[in-house]
Amino acid sequence: ALIPANELNRAATPSRISQIMKYGFPGLDNVRSQSDYVLSYDRRTRVPHWVFEHLTAQSVDKNSDVDRAKSNFKPDDSIHPYFRAQNTDYLRSGYDRGHMAAAGNHRLHQKHCDDTFLLSNMAPQVGQGFNRDAWNTLELHVRKLTRIYANVYVCTGPLYLPHKEDDGKTYVKYEVIGANAVAVPTHFYKVIVSEAAADNKLHMEVYVMPNRVISNDTPLQVFQVPPETVERAAGLLFFDQLNRSQLATINGKKV
Amino acid sequence: ALIPANELNRAATPSRISQIMKYGFPGLDNVRSQSDYVLSYDRRTRVPHWVFEHLTAQSVDKNSDVDRAKSNFKPDDSIHPYFRAQNTDYLRSGYDRGHMAAAGNHRLHQKHCDDTFLLSNMAPQVGQGFNRDAWNTLELHVRKLTRIYANVYVCTGPLYLPHKEDDGKTYVKYEVIGANAVAVPTHFYKVIVSEAAADNKLHMEVYVMPNRVISNDTPLQVFQVPPETVERAAGLLFFDQLNRSQLATINGKKV
Ligand SMILES: [Mg+2]
Ligand SMILES: [Mg+2]
């Protein structure tokens, strides 16, 4: 379908933002509304706190008018220069510019796809074996949910998880890359709520994946964790407009 | 002087908040107004992003009606339990519960002093050699500024500074303590703006100190850095309602 001219540069409307954020904001730090997703930016790490998307079968459907090859990675001018990630930060770092809101989730308009290429929507991800493999498998899984559910809400972001060292103490350690010291998260999470059209039931799935090479035969279920685990680690509350008892299932198990 | 009963439990009034925050909020994440200071809480690290105080000769003056020995360290119930630091987190950690808004800056009312003992105002600090020594010296220096200047505005907070390792890469690494994984910052900063009564001139001082034993004979000037250094590292903008060209001096040098 030809895109109407008045939609070529459409920004997110207040009603679209309400739709995406229907079940609550995980936090309110430096929120940005892009054309088809909503983001909270962490100025200290130069990557997002969280990115929220609302997907339907239509929004993830192949669309010959939208081509991700036409989209370019670009710095987000809405972020103060002190805290803005640049393409040069990623150059020769060994990491991919990893989309938090996946490009393949935003196929209604070229502008929607383009906006996912803002560097404020990126975090450094291991390329081969993660971004292009296990993490991509998780993104495909989320898109497939739109074949079963009328509405899919997905929140994606980084984690900096602690580990115990030989001295018996617990540390958080992560690499930072480039002149702007962009943080390389140790893990990434996705918290997903899917709405069934038939019975209006809500289903939550929660995944945490380490930012490293993951064997392609690892089943997704291995990465499922309780939502509280991500909330405590991220300092965020997910879908807090929903009582957990309103969910039919969490990670496939009856609530 | 006897404290009037209606002032015993006084909370910060909007006009007091405006006074403390006269030159701008460094950020807006989880802001809390306590009786005599304003704080932004980092739910991920369980310590503040920044704490803002407005000091005068009167507010830091000795007051026989206010006794810090009567104040108790207490968890901040306004923080969600997932992100709330507890006294047990600090217990046997080897670190002090280090005030960001110093108790000695809030001597007008017992309630002002008490509020500085909220654990949301704390970060783990090396005790001997830092909290009780070099950092305390810096706090005393800030209080002394009220003898020269009519108004002293001070913003205090933690930093997690990167370092280069043998593999040529740059990392951020910090310890976390207790069941709630309270972050131990690698450094702390203070950004101070003092208003002279006579000529209305404004003077900025900026300090960054490592969270470790510091020799008592180290002059404070050693820890002075340009404000931009702290801003980039913290992801915050200090005194952004002031143009830097409106400052008479930064770290004692003419702007
Ligand atoms: Mg990707
Ligand atoms: Mg102290």
Side-chain angles (χ1 to χ4, degrees), chain A residues 168-238:
Chain A
K169 295 179 180 175
T170 305
Y171 297 91
V172 168
K173 184 179 182 181
Y174 55 88
E175 194 181 345
V176 295
I177 57 171
N180 296 299
V182 179
V184 181
T186 65
H187 295 71
F188 292 93
Y189 68 82
K190 279 189 187 286
V191 184
I192 307 144
V193 166
S194 304
E195 282 179 349
D199 58 7
N200 278 316
K201 282 198 175 153
L202 298 165
H203 302 271
M204 178 181 275
E205 297 176 36
V206 187
Y207 298 90
V208 171
M209 279 191 176
N211 188 13
R212 59 169 182 250
V213 174
I214 293 171
S215 168
N216 270 326
D217 55 10
T218 317
L220 278 181
Q221 285 82 343
V222 166
F223 304 103
Q224 289 183 334
V225 299
E228 294 78 12
T229 302
V230 185
E231 290 178 311
R232 287 179 188 271
L236 301 170
L237 295 170
F238 300 106

Side-chain angles (χ1 to χ4, degrees), chain A:
Chain A
L2 209 76
I3 304 166
N6 63 350
E7 294 203 335
L8 273 174
N9 286 304
R10 67 195 262 163
T13 58
S15 69
R16 179 63 181 137
I17 297 169
S18 305
Q19 193 174 38
I20 297 168
M21 303 311 299
K22 176 175 178 184
Y23 293 117
F25 283 71
L28 294 169
D29 193 35
N30 290 289
V31 173
R32 297 288 186 278
S33 305
Q34 305 301 355
S35 56
D36 201 37
Y37 66 92
V38 178
L39 171 144
S40 165
Y41 192 72
D42 183 352
R43 300 193 304 186
R44 185 166 73 214
T45 58
R46 336 306 195 196
V47 304
H49 288 298
W50 54 262
V51 179
F52 232 98
E53 303 167 86
H54 164 243
L55 314 181
T56 62
Q58 201 200 356
S59 72
V60 306
D61 202 17
K62 296 252 188 278
N63 175 348
S64 57
D65 290 326
V66 176
D67 181 1
R68 67 175 285 163
K70 288 186 195 152
S71 301
N72 297 311
F73 291 98
K74 54 176 184 289
D76 185 338
D77 291 340
S78 82
I79 308 293
H80 187 288
Y82 287 177
F83 318 129
R84 194 188 298 158
Q86 300 286 350
N87 283 312
T88 48
D89 293 321
Y90 286 84
L91 197 68
R92 284 185 288 274
S93 72
Y95 295 101
D96 279 8
R97 291 162 292 194
H99 286 71
M100 297 293 97
N105 292 349
H106 304 276
R107 288 166 163 163
L108 277 178
H109 303 282
Q110 185 65 38
K111 164 77 171 159
H112 290 185
C113 179
D114 289 352
D115 275 2
T116 69
F117 281 78
L118 285 166
L119 291 181
S120 50
N121 178 46
M122 303 294 156
Q125 288 187 325
V126 169
Q128 203 71 41
F130 185 71
N131 178 34
R132 308 170 206 167
D133 293 282
W135 184 253
N136 184 54
T137 302
L138 178 56
E139 289 175 334
L140 289 169
H141 168 72
V142 173
R143 279 200 279 284
K144 276 185 206 153
L145 290 173
T146 63
R147 298 185 199 161
I148 308 170
Y149 299 102
N151 294 290
V152 175
Y153 299 88
V154 55
C155 184
T156 306
L159 292 173
Y160 309 89
L161 294 189
H163 63 277
K164 208 158 193 168
E165 294 199 357
D166 290 343
D167 62 6
K169 295 179 180 175
T170 305
Y171 297 91
V172 168
K173 184 179 182 181
Y174 55 88
E175 194 181 345
V176 295
I177 57 171
N180 296 299
V182 179
V184 181
T186 65
H187 295 71
F188 292 93
Y189 68 82
K190 279 189 187 286
V191 184
I192 307 144
V193 166
S194 304
E195 282 179 349
D199 58 7
N200 278 316
K201 282 198 175 153
L202 298 165
H203 302 271
M204 178 181 275
E205 297 176 36
V206 187
Y207 298 90
V208 171
M209 279 191 176
N211 188 13
R212 59 169 182 250
V213 174
I214 293 171
S215 168
N216 270 326
D217 55 10
T218 317
L220 278 181
Q221 285 82 343
V222 166
F223 304 103
Q224 289 183 334
V225 299
E228 294 78 12
T229 302
V230 185
E231 290 178 311
R232 287 179 188 271
L236 301 170
L237 295 170
F238 300 106
F239 298 95
D240 71 339
Q241 297 305 301
L242 272 180
N243 195 301
R244 292 279 146 84
S245 64
Q246 292 173 261
L247 297 169
T249 66
I250 297 179
N251 292 330
K253 291 182 199 77
K254 271 210 178 109
V255 173

Side-chain angles (χ1 to χ4, degrees), chain B residues 69-88:
Chain B
K70 289 187 197 150
S71 301
N72 296 310
F73 291 97
K74 55 176 183 290
D76 185 338
D77 291 340
S78 82
I79 308 293
H80 188 286
Y82 286 177
F83 318 129
R84 195 188 300 159
Q86 301 285 350
N87 283 311
T88 48

Side-chain angles (χ1 to χ4, degrees), chain B residues 68 96-100 102-103 125 130-132 135-136 139:
Chain B
R68 67 174 285 164
D96 278 7
R97 290 162 293 193
H99 286 70
M100 298 292 95
Q125 289 188 325
F130 184 71
N131 178 35
R132 306 169 207 169
W135 184 253
N136 185 53
E139 290 175 335

Side-chain angles (χ1 to χ4, degrees), chain B residues 40-61:
Chain B
S40 165
Y41 192 74
D42 184 352
R43 301 192 303 187
R44 185 166 71 213
T45 58
R46 336 304 195 197
V47 303
H49 288 296
W50 54 262
V51 179
F52 231 99
E53 302 167 89
H54 164 244
L55 314 182
T56 62
Q58 200 200 357
S59 73
V60 307
D61 201 19

